[in-house]
Amino acid sequence: MKTIKDIAALAKVSIGTVDRVIHNRSGVSKKTKERIEKIIQEHGFQINKTARILALNKKYNIAVLMPTVESSSDFWYLPKKGIEKASEEFEMHRISVNYFHFDPLNLNSFKDVFDKLLENSFNAVLLAPIFLNEAKERLIYLDQRKIPYVFINAELEGANNISYIGQHSFDSGALAAKLMSLLINTEDDILIVKVRRDNVHHSTIEDRISGFKSYFNTRKTPIQIHEVILPKIKDQETINTLLHKKLTNHQIKGLFIPSSKVSVVANYVEEHKLKHLKLIGYDLNEENVHLIKNETIDFLIDQDAFFQGYEGTKTLFNFIINNVVPPKNRYLPIKLLTKENVKYL
Amino acid sequence: MKTIKDIAALAKVSIGTVDRVIHNRSGVSKKTKERIEKIIQEHGFQINKTARILALNKKYNIAVLMPTVESSSDFWYLPKKGIEKASEEFEMHRISVNYFHFDPLNLNSFKDVFDKLLENSFNAVLLAPIFLNEAKERLIYLDQRKIPYVFINAELEGANNISYIGQHSFDSGALAAKLMSLLINTEDDILIVKVRRDNVHHSTIEDRISGFKSYFNTRKTPIQIHEVILPKIKDQETINTLLHKKLTNHQIKGLFIPSSKVSVVANYVEEHKLKHLKLIGYDLNEENVHLIKNETIDFLIDQDAFFQGYEGTKTLFNFIINNVVPPKNRYLPIKLLTKENVKYL
DNA sequence: TAAATTTGCGTGTACGCACACGTTTTTATA
DNA sequence: TATAAAAACGTGTGCGTACACGCAAATTTA
């Protein structure tokens, strides 16, 4: 591969002129510019990124807006690990990451932390726009400042994000439904369990439920689908009561829990030895892994949480440094896990 | 982060001396060496890989031993794509790749091509040791020349490979069995279909079958498992006869094809409209993707063929350039695909 | 004690690119 | 035609590391 020096020699100009042509800077006559461009075409010159990074030697700062991570069983533990890995890999490129953590169950916390973020300065933002409207309002300021941003985990239509990295929630719900149809019989019923503390609309979870239902709707099975909302995760009493009521009133065999909180239900099932019940849930935190290994949970859908953080950070970096424009939507594989393959990630 | 220059200034020596300490070269008095090491400890110096690569500016050559790739529906098409992607990414690091292709169904071809490879010189080898014994004999020469090598796709126990990147075949078979048990009933039978042209022992496929059988063995179901070997893929007549015989003689509902050749069986099933049959196979070539989309195939197990090539190349590169020692076994996710999630890869 | 050798360390250049600055050439203006 | 201004191009330095080379001091040998 030719270097700038080589091209310069071939064109009988200095490397400075070649440099100007490459970067489309002014100060080159049309004639020489075309000559150099032709030589570059013919010899296939490509910039040496290593040398480029070394020469630029700038500092970059990426802001991350995501939920608080308290323990390794939190869903957001893995994305954060991914971000950390990417930033370690890029440390030599003088990249640094600033975290802005909010409470995912508290709308005001999201607003406040996002506002705080906007007070600072940085080169790019990685965020999970969990609260759609509140995010949308604030992204305008990033657009104004021409700061690129990438979404992970939650999708927000109509924004100027350079990329979304995450799962196709609707289709993951449909996959869950297919598996459920294998686990139960046509005379059985299904219960969808939503676990949440407030009434805020969570797009990802609703999309999963839509996908799940649509699978059964298009197939016209006699299977009945019930729903229940479990508020206040800490209060096991209320949860038990609610679940017990639903399970006794109907012929339920399949339980679909469209979030990582499947363990809340699984613990109940395990405790009451309801082994005939089939559970499908999401995500691979420690608790869920334990519950799938002992087959209390039958299937887990993994959304590559680690990869979301890792790839999101990398995407931003490549965009800033190398001007690599990523695809707008990067739907990750919908990974299906059972006892048999849960150890391989 | 401090640079060599910084450390040199702090230690009041030249950068040359610091360089010698970092690389554990001779020519530094014990006293100075310890002083510099202490300063490095305290200030947390880390080598700048970018500058390092630029300064080294060596050329590296990786040899790849793998089956011939003729069309995009070949299994080995994807690993090759992965290798190409990795080598593109590393082109700036002056890495080049030399392919040595053999006929995967011909033992002598494997031997000849491997011997030819050994005549050349390179810095590392990426290979699929499909023929275990013949590979083992020849790897000795790589060991002698201290050339690092990585296995992809097929595992070979007791070799000095720095890493294996691929799936755990046995467990993937067990996963297939679990799904099969969901697809069929206890009164149904299962047929395992081996597709091959010669009698050479193919470890990967046998391991998958072992895993599959062991699942049913440990559960003591009344399900009967039959087997059939289909030779000569091109000869559809023979295949039809053999399959027809097996399917009429037994109450078979589930078909397990432990290779990417599942399409051979699926085409038969599609043609004869045997919609009640359930098929599980491997790998995502174009044909298989088509067959899973129209639900002729029920489940495909993907072994991340692209990633195997990509990661294998990267692993070797990082080992050569950055002395990064990889884990000996990198078992990839056992990805399960159905009509619902096959588009997300 | 002088000469020869070894040890310890500094210097300079290369790697390929970016960019500020300086120099030459061309064009416009008086 | 002289001069100013603008355009076109060259030069030099820095980014952080690797390594060959070379010099000086310390050590060994005669």
Side-chain angles (χ1 to χ4, degrees):
Chain A
M1 183 63 66
K2 305 278 176 213
T3 69
I4 285 189
K5 212 179 4 181
D6 298 329
I7 301 293
L10 287 164
K12 287 173 186 154
V13 293
S14 74
I15 56 167
T17 306
V18 177
D19 180 68
R20 276 180 277 261
V21 171
I22 290 169
H23 294 90
N24 239 322
R25 276 192 282 257
S26 60
V28 188
S29 72
K30 204 175 171 186
K31 214 176 72 183
T32 25
K33 188 177 177 185
E34 280 166 3
R35 182 156 45 95
I36 293 174
E37 274 168 348
K38 197 179 162 199
I39 292 175
I40 288 178
Q41 280 293 320
E42 283 167 3
H43 293 78
F45 166 81
Q46 257 188 267
I47 237 167
N48 182 321
K49 284 186 191 175
T50 308
R52 174 165 213 271
I53 288 168
L54 191 63
L56 281 170
N57 201 30
K58 280 189 199 159
K59 282 186 186 174
Y60 297 96
N61 195 359
I62 291 183
V64 177
L65 179 67
M66 61 179 262
T68 315
V69 175
E70 273 153 4
S71 81
S72 60
S73 68
D74 281 344
F75 170 76
W76 287 95
Y77 176 79
L78 286 175
K80 189 163 186 177
K81 280 276 160 208
I83 295 168
E84 281 167 7
K85 181 169 182 216
S87 65
E88 271 169 33
E89 278 184 14
F90 291 140
E91 207 217 333
M92 57 171 167
H93 300 331
R94 318 208 154 205
I95 206 156
S96 66
V97 175
N98 262 332
Y99 293 96
F100 294 85
H101 289 295
F102 61 87
D103 177 356
L105 301 172
N106 183 339
L107 181 61
N108 283 321
S109 157
F110 179 81
K111 288 196 217 173
D112 294 346
V113 175
F114 204 151
D115 289 336
K116 208 174 106 197
L117 180 150
L118 289 170
E119 289 166 17
N120 293 68
S121 88
F122 27 72
N123 306 93
V125 183
L126 182 68
L127 74 157
I130 290 179
F131 300 103
L132 302 183
N133 294 326
E134 289 69 21
K136 215 160 192 171
E137 289 167 12
R138 283 161 183 80
L139 289 171
I140 296 166
Y141 297 105
L142 293 179
D143 290 335
Q144 279 174 4
R145 288 156 69 183
K146 299 201 173 165
I147 295 171
Y149 48 93
V150 162
F151 296 146
I152 54 171
N153 199 260
E155 225 173 335
L156 200 170
E157 298 285 331
N160 294 314
N161 56 314
I162 61 167
S163 190
Y164 161 67
I165 298 168
Q167 206 164 62
H168 194 291
S169 303
F170 184 93
D171 283 356
S172 81
L175 177 62
K178 190 209 187 105
L179 296 165
M180 188 62 90
S181 74
L182 292 176
L183 289 169
I184 64 172
N185 299 309
T186 43
E187 64 268 22
D188 300 320
D189 282 6
I190 291 170
L191 180 64
I192 297 176
V193 187
K194 296 193 215 180
V195 182
R196 69 177 186 205
R197 257 186 270 184
D198 53 21
N199 281 320
V200 180
H201 178 78
H202 194 305
S203 59
T204 306
I205 287 171
E206 295 304 327
D207 286 346
R208 289 169 181 168
I209 293 174
S210 304
F212 187 87
K213 286 182 179 169
S214 91
Y215 182 90
F216 286 103
N217 283 344
T218 56
R219 265 147 248 251
K220 292 181 184 146
T221 59
I223 293 171
Q224 297 245 2
I225 299 179
H226 308 273
E227 288 190 43
V228 61
I229 295 176
L230 302 183
K232 295 178 193 162
I233 308 174
K234 313 268 171 180
D235 179 9
Q236 193 68 41
E237 271 308 306
T238 318
I239 291 174
N240 290 358
T241 315
L242 283 166
L243 281 177
H244 182 258
K245 197 171 141 198
K246 279 285 177 187
L247 292 172
T248 44
N249 286 359
H250 309 282
Q251 277 299 327
I252 286 165
K253 192 175 176 194
L255 294 167
F256 177 53
I257 304 95
S259 78
S260 62
K261 299 295 177 199
V262 54
S263 51
V264 173
V265 181
N267 286 334
Y268 172 87
V269 168
E270 200 176 20
E271 206 175 302
H272 294 76
K273 302 213 167 73
L274 305 170
K275 287 187 184 164
H276 66 287
L277 293 180
K278 304 294 178 185
L279 271 71
I280 299 181
Y282 280 80
D283 300 328
L284 281 171
N285 56 44
E286 280 177 29
E287 236 181 326
N288 289 356
V289 169
H290 172 76
L291 288 161
I292 201 168
K293 279 188 177 162
N294 73 21
E295 292 186 282
T296 307
I297 298 175
D298 294 88
F299 286 104
L300 277 177
I301 292 175
D302 179 31
Q303 44 175 338
D304 253 332
F306 178 89
F307 191 77
Q308 287 182 23
Y310 177 72
E311 198 63 18
T313 311
K314 259 181 110 168
T315 299
L316 279 173
F317 177 78
N318 278 320
F319 183 77
I320 303 175
I321 309 283
N322 303 323
N323 299 316
V324 177
V325 179
K328 178 94 181 186
N329 286 306
R330 297 211 36 202
Y331 290 117
L332 302 184
I334 304 179
K335 284 196 191 162
L336 203 50
L337 300 173
T338 74
K339 188 192 174 190
E340 283 72 24
N341 68 345
V342 72
K343 37 178 162 160
Y344 305 113
L345 294 174
Chain B
M1 184 64 67
K2 303 282 177 209
T3 70
I4 285 192
K5 213 181 358 184
D6 298 329
I7 302 292
L10 286 164
K12 286 168 187 161
V13 293
S14 75
I15 56 169
T17 307
V18 177
D19 181 66
R20 277 180 275 261
V21 172
I22 289 168
H23 294 90
N24 240 323
R25 277 192 285 257
S26 59
V28 187
S29 70
K30 203 174 171 186
K31 215 175 71 184
T32 340
K33 187 178 177 184
E34 279 167 1
R35 182 156 45 94
I36 293 173
E37 275 169 347
K38 200 180 159 197
I39 291 174
I40 288 178
Q41 281 294 319
E42 284 167 3
H43 293 79
F45 165 82
Q46 258 188 265
I47 233 168
N48 182 321
K49 285 184 190 175
T50 308
R52 175 165 210 268
I53 288 168
L54 190 64
L56 279 170
N57 199 31
K58 280 187 198 161
K59 282 186 187 174
Y60 297 96
N61 195 359
I62 291 183
V64 177
L65 179 67
M66 63 179 262
T68 315
V69 176
E70 274 153 4
S71 81
S72 61
S73 67
D74 282 345
F75 171 76
W76 285 95
Y77 177 78
L78 286 175
K80 190 164 187 178
K81 280 276 158 208
I83 294 168
E84 281 166 9
K85 182 174 181 206
S87 64
E88 270 169 34
E89 278 185 15
F90 290 141
E91 206 215 335
M92 58 172 168
H93 300 331
R94 318 209 152 201
I95 207 156
S96 66
V97 175
N98 261 330
Y99 293 97
F100 294 85
H101 288 296
F102 60 88
D103 176 355
L105 300 171
N106 182 339
L107 182 60
N108 283 321
S109 158
F110 179 82
K111 287 197 218 172
D112 294 346
V113 175
F114 203 151
D115 288 338
K116 207 174 104 199
L117 180 151
L118 288 171
E119 289 167 15
N120 293 68
S121 89
F122 27 74
N123 306 94
V125 183
L126 183 68
L127 74 158
I130 290 178
F131 300 103
L132 302 183
N133 294 326
E134 289 68 21
K136 214 161 191 169
E137 289 167 12
R138 285 160 181 81
L139 289 171
I140 296 167
Y141 298 105
L142 293 180
D143 290 336
Q144 278 172 5
R145 288 156 69 183
K146 301 202 172 162
I147 295 172
Y149 49 93
V150 162
F151 296 147
I152 54 170
N153 198 261
E155 224 173 336
L156 201 170
E157 299 284 331
N160 294 315
N161 58 314
I162 61 167
S163 190
Y164 162 68
I165 298 168
Q167 204 164 63
H168 194 291
S169 303
F170 184 93
D171 282 356
S172 80
L175 177 63
K178 187 204 188 109
L179 295 164
M180 189 61 90
S181 74
L182 292 176
L183 289 169
I184 65 173
N185 298 311
T186 43
E187 63 266 23
D188 301 320
D189 281 7
I190 290 170
L191 180 64
I192 297 177
V193 187
K194 295 194 216 180
V195 181
R196 69 179 186 203
R197 257 186 270 185
D198 55 18
N199 282 317
V200 181
H201 178 79
H202 195 306
S203 57
T204 306
I205 287 170
E206 296 303 327
D207 285 347
R208 289 170 180 168
I209 294 174
S210 304
F212 187 86
K213 286 183 179 167
S214 92
Y215 181 90
F216 286 103
N217 283 344
T218 55
R219 265 148 249 249
K220 292 181 184 146
T221 57
I223 293 172
Q224 294 244 4
I225 299 180
H226 308 273
E227 288 190 43
V228 62
I229 296 178
L230 303 183
K232 297 178 193 161
I233 308 174
K234 313 268 171 180
D235 179 9
Q236 192 69 40
E237 271 307 305
T238 319
I239 290 175
N240 290 357
T241 316
L242 283 166
L243 282 178
H244 182 258
K245 197 171 140 196
K246 279 286 177 185
L247 292 173
T248 44
N249 286 357
H250 309 282
Q251 276 299 327
I252 287 165
K253 190 174 176 195
L255 294 166
F256 177 52
I257 304 95
S259 79
S260 62
K261 300 294 178 201
V262 55
S263 50
V264 174
V265 182
N267 286 333
Y268 173 88
V269 168
E270 203 176 17
E271 205 175 304
H272 295 75
K273 302 214 166 76
L274 305 170
K275 286 187 183 164
H276 65 288
L277 293 180
K278 304 294 179 185
L279 271 71
I280 299 180
Y282 280 80
D283 300 329
L284 280 171
N285 54 44
E286 280 177 28
E287 236 181 327
N288 289 355
V289 168
H290 171 75
L291 289 161
I292 201 168
K293 279 188 178 164
N294 72 18
E295 291 187 282
T296 308
I297 298 174
D298 293 88
F299 284 106
L300 278 176
I301 292 176
D302 178 31
Q303 42 176 337
D304 252 333
F306 179 89
F307 191 78
Q308 287 182 23
Y310 178 72
E311 197 64 17
T313 311
K314 258 182 111 169
T315 299
L316 278 174
F317 177 79
N318 278 320
F319 183 77
I320 302 174
I321 310 282
N322 303 323
N323 300 315
V324 177
V325 179
K328 178 93 182 183
N329 287 306
R330 297 213 34 204
Y331 290 117
L332 300 184
I334 304 178
K335 283 196 192 163
L336 203 49
L337 300 173
T338 73
K339 188 192 175 191
E340 283 72 24
N341 66 345
V342 72
K343 39 178 162 162
Y344 304 114
L345 294 172

